[in-house]
Amino acid sequence: MKNPEVAQLLYDIADLLEMQNVSFKPAAYRKAARSVETLSEDIAEVFRSGGREKLMVLPGIGESIAEKIEEFLTTGKLKYYDGLKKKFPQHITELMNVPGIGPKRIKLLHGKLGIKTVADLEAAAKAHKICKLPGFGEKSEEDILKGIGTFKKGQERMLLGYALPIAEEIENRLRGLKETARVSIAGSTRRRKETIGDVDLLVSCKGGKATARIMNFFTSMPDVNRILAKGETKSSIMLKTGLQVDLRVVDDSSFGAALQYFTGSKEHNVVVRELAIRKGLKLNEYGVFRKNSNRRIAGKTEEEVYKAIGIRYMEPEIRENSGEVEAAARNKLPNLVKYGGIKGDFHTHTVKSDGGNSLGDMVAAAKQLGYEYIAITDHSKSERIAHGLSDEEMEKWLKEIKAVAAREKGIKILAGSEVDILPNGELDYPDDLLKKMDIVVGSVHSRFKSAKEEMTKRILTAMENKHLDILAHPTGRMIGKREPYEVDLKRIFAAAAEKKVLLEINAYPDRTDLKDVHAREAKGFGCKFVIDTDSHSTENLRFIDLGVAVARRAWLSPEDVVNTRPLKELPRFFRKIRI
Ligand code: DGT
Ligand code: CA
Ligand code: CA
Ligand code: ZN
């Protein structure tokens, strides 16, 4: 999968161009980067199958960028990029990835303090050298240190949305080998945690000799950068994308026990093992054994392992020692939302604002997914960078969407907007315009650093507006890029339940906002949810399962999530949707 590498290259070019005060081009490169980053197919494969022309079919990729991607894919280098970099200190692109400092400040820090790397930056901040520079203060120095923290966290762990396709690709390759019997992803990837430290894979093999062949195959895959360890039963590799993958090979009779063990979490395993001991049993990665006789009573499947200990099988997403073992013992496990159980998306963008595809493309893609409905929610006027629509433009756009909706038979198209929640809590369009929308999604997109009370009031005020249907990405975080804003979530949840404002679980890979623990807490307040992709292209619609994963980790049932409901039930949850 070449996508992360190519996307990073395009992002870096955008940053470098921005540092030279070039206009328009940086935005074009960022759009292209996002398009590649979120592509489901391997970009190298796209290129192989149809050359530069095929690349140019992708949203946001024109001839000049396609040419550069081609050069990078065929030679592994890009002259244009190397040329741009020459004009700046060596590690400039690394510094650009630290949230909170932009091109101008980097130039200044380099000029005044000779800062070249993130390590330099951290040292200078800790030595209080930065706060003394013109235009900086104690606060901005603190912010830089926080930004470095966010950056480092982001370096150590990969987003689930990017790690999962890579893991699944390797899983499929292993499954294709004649030597393997059963193959599964394990660890945090199987539990669908929002970020992944390393990917764990488990296979069982047919016969003893097969082990070596499986390991040889695994360590010599083309995307391996380094072999970290290679043994009979365990190997570790580092992929070119910087992701570590561990593979364990076990006997097929122990596959269930090994899968249970290596799926974790560690905390879940501790509790399950204690329970086994209390029942006079012993549990390890080889099976469940009677303590006295050491006779094995289970191990082939996970279901069998849990059953032997006297509890129900539980889905990997809830194995976090947060009450699941007790629930399983009392037969009180939740009925979790299902992958593939979503019937529509309430938050999507088109080329009308900052999306990469047309209304027609988005609708066709939603139909392809078998959806019953899709809401088109382009940005409101204050979102200048995202080409938000003025009152008049939005009014006209709603009419256009509704005209298309009236002709469309295969899917219900809802005309709406992602409307900014302004700093004073007002929505970014007047009420008589909001009234014309089938659906209103409200978002905070500015002043992320407001004090907690101010931000809380801002959102509570927005929820007073009876036109608001959905509170989008309620904490504003972007994993590895931006910390959540300070807000009193308990008060937000209480108000959302009371005002019947739906809370979004935004499925976009670096958002997953609300996150698992917050969504679970909100359910306790009686809140209802929607799972949305915030798609900026047709490709993004498939992120929906990342949102379903969050909902499952939050113990949500289909009853809690409005877009598991068929179209005919939507009027129960939205004031203005008519069917
Ligand atoms: P990660 O990689 O940080 O995203 O998180 P995990 O959960 O994938 O952790 P990892 O890769 O260190 O180990 C995979 C699983 O193996 C883990 O979820 C549970 C199991 N495991 C690893 N070490 C231990 C241990 O010391 N005790 C127990 N009970 N289980 C362990
Ligand atoms: Ca792991
Ligand atoms: Ca591991
Ligand atoms: Zn959006």
Side-chain angles (χ1 to χ4, degrees), residues 202-205 233 248-252 254-255 258 262 285-286:
L202 185 69
V203 310
S204 64
C205 65
T233 58
R248 291 176 183 83
V249 183
V250 299
D251 191 79
D252 198 56
S254 298
F255 187 80
F262 291 114
E285 62 261 53
Y286 303 103

Side-chain angles (χ1 to χ4, degrees), residues 371-384:
Y371 282 171
E372 294 183 21
Y373 44 87
I374 179 171
I376 304 296
T377 56
D378 280 305
H379 286 289
S380 63
K381 60 177 181 261
S382 294
E383 277 302 289
R384 295 256 163 70

